[in-house]
Amino acid sequence: MWLPSRFSFKFSVSALRRGVPPSYPHVVRRGGCNTAAFMPEAAGFEGVSGRAALQEFSVSNSEDFWAAVARQRLSWIRPFHTVQDCDLSRGRIKWFQGGMLNVSVNCLDRQVHICPERVALIWERDERGSEVRYTYRQLLEMTCRVGNLLKRHGVRKGDCVTIYMPTCPLAVASMLACARIGAAHNVVFAGFSADALAERIRDAQSSIVITMNQGVRGGKVTELKKTVDTAVQSCPTVRHVFVAMRTETLVPMTDRDVLMDEYVFSYHDGDVFGCVADIGWITGHSYIVYGPLANGATTVLFESTPVYPDPGRYWETVERLKINQFYGAPTAIRLLLKYGDQWVNKYDRSSLKTLGSVGEPINTEAWEWYHRVVGEGRCPVVDTWWQTETGGICIAPKPSEPDEEIVPGMAMRPFFGIKPVLMDTEGKVLTANNTSGALCIAQPWPGMARTIHNNHERFIETYCQPYPGYFFTGDGAYRSPKGYYQITGRLDDVINVSGHRIGTAEIEDVVNQCPAVAESAVIGYSHDIKGQGIYAFVVLKKNMKIKEEDLYKQLNSVVSEKIAKYACPDFILLVKRLPKTRSGKIMRRVLRKVVESDLDSLGDLSTLDDPAAVQEIIEGHAKISMK
Ligand code: WTA
């Protein structure tokens, strides 16, 4: 069995056993439930009645289940002849073979056929009260124009277009345009620096980058085009940069640049799905663009921040746009909680039906506040667990029978077609409840990742080999006595800052590029607002004389330039050496324990090369934390 390096099986089970949180039955009515409430096509599944029976059917008759969903909910250019041909242990994942469809047609044409004037997008612009609505017909039109533009500039099936834009209608149209003409899209979070962008453009070998003159967020302007200009200098494949105008500021243009036209707006009513993520992350892909549009919903594109111009922004937006489902990140909820209830109570939230949370574990305090204050105790809070690799929600409290409980801070129930399992350190499936293990998924489902672009070997190594025959999520989970799942966090060294994942190695790599730095170790520590903060332990080069504050400035600027602002360390501790194993591996586990002030469980230090290093770190940390 292969495990990621520094694999630690010490889940924070103690935190889970701090007491069983109360549960919240959302009692609407008692009694049996018709499966049609969850899925109309389930009527064709013999003897299946109720949510639990449907879940059971979806995993034990996975092919019938997914075939029915695929046939009824999607328009096919050519029907599939084989539902699936998968072998998780070899990383072979094939669904709907022989079939052919266009996802853009499913998100647009299919809806335009049924309801052309329904609002597809509500663009909640940074400037409060200036929202713009686009109907499905308009979005289709915009998408076709971008598609034609791409084709005119030589983009062909199989090419990969880089999109470096904030969340806005043109970004959605660009994604759908790529999908329409058979190109892949590489959406890069618009907060990334020129270097980070360049690396992603090179990886995708894009000939086209789509961007904007400037971005606007929280009242601040970001120079997107300038960043692209710098990035493409080291990207020889780029032939054209398409530039849309978000502000009126003119930016320098070259022969390589193509100015994009403006488009038209209008207004119509629709159901309103408010996912306030950024399209640069997977949540934006699945729950702002593809999911809502493929289902004919009206989706909100939130360009701003939760605190601009004040901490009432989300709830004022809910009132003004009459949002029915609000989907956000725990980090924002924790931040808003600190500002007090008055910012929520000021606004009418009666349109809200469901509150969602995603990206990190939501702590009980934040969950309770979200439920009691934001949702006035009447909206179910759904803590949804999934990841980029799973494509969509895999574990969530709903759908469930109306009278079934919801436990705070737990993702709880597997979604249809998902069969989670917990594994022990030996790679054996843990069957009992009230246990923790590595979270795997036992059988394939259509939305799962099938490969890593240009690196299928890595896909197999990371997801298929650790537990042969199972898809390894990299997360740990606890299964309660009642069989509910609670995610305990990453098992490897990925830090999750405000819902943004970043590998410790990526930050260390940049920190180590500072001329004064010899080496560094970066760890995540729990942070009230951001979920995790970043703590860097830095060893200076010998005889290096640099003022501490100058070094901190240098480190922050290099990290924000090469990665992004959110990756800057919250704490930097200068140390003479790092705790390492004899084979030279940095013992981050020890660093984490020191930072968590959990000195009693430092564990066995005898494997360390130089155990005295730990004492120095303990003392240094004590000084920093007293400052
Ligand atoms: C974490 C975001 C606890 C988890 C959709 C996962 C969560 C990683 C939850 C994926 C949750 C996501 N509770 N942890 N409800 N949702 N995570 O790829 O560690 O950006 O593996 O996808 O976030 O992050 P990603």
Side-chain angles (χ1 to χ4, degrees):
M1 182 183 64
W2 178 93
L3 289 173
S5 57
R6 301 176 292 277
F7 184 92
S8 148
F9 232 82
K10 295 213 182 317
F11 302 103
S12 46
V13 177
S14 54
L16 303 170
R17 302 218 176 111
R18 257 184 244 134
V20 180
S23 65
Y24 293 77
H26 282 90
V27 182
V28 180
R29 64 190 159 82
R30 289 223 157 243
C33 179
N34 189 341
T35 34
F38 304 119
M39 226 184 110
E41 50 271 59
F45 304 149
E46 220 166 292
V48 175
S49 136
R51 192 256 174 216
L54 183 56
Q55 161 66 21
E56 170 53 30
F57 181 88
S58 72
V59 288
S60 53
N61 297 276
S62 151
E63 289 202 11
D64 293 345
F65 177 85
W66 290 117
V69 175
R71 285 199 187 102
Q72 308 246 355
R73 301 197 177 205
L74 297 170
S75 303
W76 293 84
I77 298 164
R78 195 172 63 218
F80 51 89
H81 53 68
T82 307
V83 183
Q84 63 130 344
D85 172 21
C86 301
D87 180 352
L88 273 180
S89 60
R90 288 160 196 256
R92 187 180 73 229
I93 296 149
K94 292 183 180 171
W95 282 91
F96 310 124
Q97 271 179 292
M100 191 191 207
L101 58 68
N102 186 303
V103 67
S104 163
V105 168
N106 275 279
C107 287
L108 299 173
D109 309 53
R110 189 176 155 107
Q111 314 306 339
V112 168
H113 188 65
I114 306 166
C115 48
E117 299 308 318
R118 177 179 291 170
V119 175
L121 310 176
I122 306 180
W123 184 20
E124 173 62 5
R125 287 158 34 106
D126 196 48
E127 302 86 348
R128 179 141 85 182
S130 69
E131 71 271 13
V132 183
R133 290 166 163 82
Y134 288 75
T135 63
Y136 273 92
R137 185 179 50 74
Q138 289 167 329
L139 183 58
L140 172 62
E141 209 173 283
M142 180 164 32
T143 301
C144 291
R145 287 201 207 183
V146 180
N148 287 333
L149 193 68
L150 290 171
K151 273 174 119 173
R152 262 207 311 282
H153 287 84
V155 177
R156 300 276 168 267
K157 208 171 167 173
D159 290 351
C160 186
V161 173
T162 294
I163 300 174
Y164 183 68
M165 288 170 125
T167 303
C168 65
L170 194 57
V172 174
S174 302
M175 291 165 77
L176 293 169
C178 290
R180 202 167 187 87
I181 64 173
H185 55 62
N186 171 34
V187 184
V188 179
F189 174 52
F192 273 128
S193 67
D195 280 357
L197 171 64
E199 195 185 318
R200 285 158 176 82
I201 295 174
R202 283 195 298 267
D203 194 46
Q205 297 176 11
S206 294
S207 62
I208 304 280
V209 178
I210 310 181
T211 190
M212 284 183 152
N213 63 334
Q214 295 180 314
V216 188
R217 193 158 179 267
K220 293 196 193 88
V221 167
T222 44
E223 301 293 341
L224 298 179
K225 169 69 164 55
K226 221 183 204 164
T227 308
V228 173
D229 285 344
T230 311
V232 298
Q233 280 173 17
S234 58
C235 302
T237 52
V238 174
R239 280 185 281 111
H240 294 289
V241 175
F242 294 170
V243 186
M245 297 294 282
R246 169 63 177 86
T247 65
E248 288 178 6
T249 309
L250 294 175
V251 291
M253 300 283 280
T254 67
D255 289 350
R256 180 202 60 207
D257 302 329
V258 179
L259 196 64
M260 293 174 94
D261 297 333
E262 290 187 7
Y263 302 109
V264 286
F265 316 134
S266 91
Y267 176 92
H268 264 273
D269 281 338
D271 302 332
V272 186
F273 189 85
C275 172
V276 291
D278 190 287
I279 50 150
W281 308 107
I282 188 65
T283 309
H285 281 56
S286 300
Y287 292 100
I288 295 179
V289 182
Y290 292 110
L293 297 181
N295 286 286
T298 296
T299 179
V300 174
L301 308 177
F302 187 76
E303 186 181 46
S304 198
T305 81
V307 290
Y308 179 76
D310 59 52
R313 178 61 185 263
Y314 275 169
W315 323 121
E316 187 272 333
T317 305
V318 165
E319 175 183 296
R320 186 162 31 84
L321 305 186
K322 304 214 171 355
I323 290 175
N324 302 125
Q325 292 88 16
F326 183 88
Y327 197 17
T331 182
I333 304 302
R334 283 194 289 269
L335 174 73
L336 296 178
L337 182 157
K338 297 213 169 203
Y339 286 97
D341 301 1
Q342 71 277 15
W343 289 107
V344 186
N345 292 332
K346 249 175 108 169
Y347 301 103
D348 174 12
R349 296 161 334 275
S350 55
S351 61
L352 286 175
K353 293 183 198 160
T354 308
L355 299 171
S357 163
V358 61
E360 328 149 54
I362 179 164
N363 53 311
T364 309
E365 189 196 8
W367 193 102
E368 298 275 358
W369 185 80
Y370 202 23
H371 182 258
R372 180 177 51 81
V373 179
V374 176
E376 299 168 304
R378 60 179 180 80
C379 304
V381 170
V382 289
D383 174 6
T384 62
W385 175 84
W386 59 292
Q387 48 186 197
T388 304
E389 298 83 339
T390 69
I393 295 170
C394 286
I395 308 182
K398 280 193 160 277
S400 59
E401 303 288 4
D403 55 352
E404 276 189 312
E405 64 179 344
I406 293 184
V407 183
M410 272 202 179
M412 298 183 75
R413 304 181 175 94
F415 192 67
F416 300 123
I418 300 296
K419 192 174 175 187
V421 286
L422 298 180
M423 297 289 187
D424 69 10
T425 34
E426 310 289 308
K428 290 209 190 74
V429 175
L430 293 156
T431 49
N433 284 347
N434 195 16
T435 191
S436 295
L439 178 66
C440 291
I441 301 181
Q443 59 190 43
W445 67 105
M448 71 186 296
R450 294 194 302 271
T451 190
I452 290 175
H453 183 57
N454 287 337
N455 202 345
H456 192 61
E457 264 315 297
R458 191 170 146 217
F459 176 78
I460 295 178
E461 265 171 32
T462 313
Y463 305 106
C464 304
Q465 274 174 5
Y467 300 94
Y470 297 85
F471 177 82
F472 177 48
T473 68
D475 282 340
Y478 163 73
R479 190 167 52 224
S480 79
K482 289 185 180 170
Y484 301 145
Y485 288 87
Q486 178 167 32
I487 309 304
T488 47
R490 301 291 303 168
L491 296 173
D492 58 11
D493 276 325
V494 171
I495 306 181
N496 193 330
V497 185
S498 304
H500 302 168
R501 279 165 79 188
I502 183 127
T504 51
E506 199 172 341
I507 305 176
E508 286 164 13
D509 192 35
V510 170
V511 166
N512 294 350
Q513 289 172 24
C514 255
V517 173
E519 62 173 342
S520 63
V522 165
I523 57 160
Y525 68 97
S526 66
H527 187 288
D528 274 0
I529 295 180
K530 298 192 285 189
Q532 280 192 294
I534 296 175
Y535 202 123
F537 297 82
V538 174
V539 181
L540 290 185
K541 286 186 182 148
K542 278 227 166 78
N543 304 324
M544 182 53 75
K545 292 217 169 28
I546 180 166
K547 274 203 220 142
E548 267 187 34
E549 46 184 48
D550 290 346
L551 176 77
Y552 299 164
K553 267 195 214 141
Q554 262 184 33
L555 287 180
N556 279 325
S557 86
V558 73
V559 173
S560 54
E561 183 200 324
K562 302 229 176 237
I563 308 175
K565 272 221 169 71
Y566 75 79
C568 288
D570 302 84
F571 290 103
I572 299 170
L573 180 62
L574 286 185
V575 293
K576 291 210 183 65
R577 55 205 164 225
L578 297 169
K580 288 188 188 164
T581 61
R582 276 154 221 243
S583 61
K585 282 209 176 66
I586 298 170
M587 300 273 281
R588 288 187 186 71
R589 176 180 62 80
V590 171
L591 295 172
R592 267 187 229 114
K593 293 286 174 199
V594 172
V595 169
E596 287 163 12
S597 302
D598 191 5
L599 301 183
D600 288 336
S601 49
L602 280 178
D604 179 12
L605 299 182
S606 62
T607 51
L608 287 187
D609 189 32
D610 177 7
V614 179
Q615 194 51 38
E616 188 210 356
I617 286 168
I618 293 172
E619 285 165 16
H621 172 67
K623 279 191 206 139
I624 274 204
S625 48
M626 275 167 9
K627 268 188 198 163

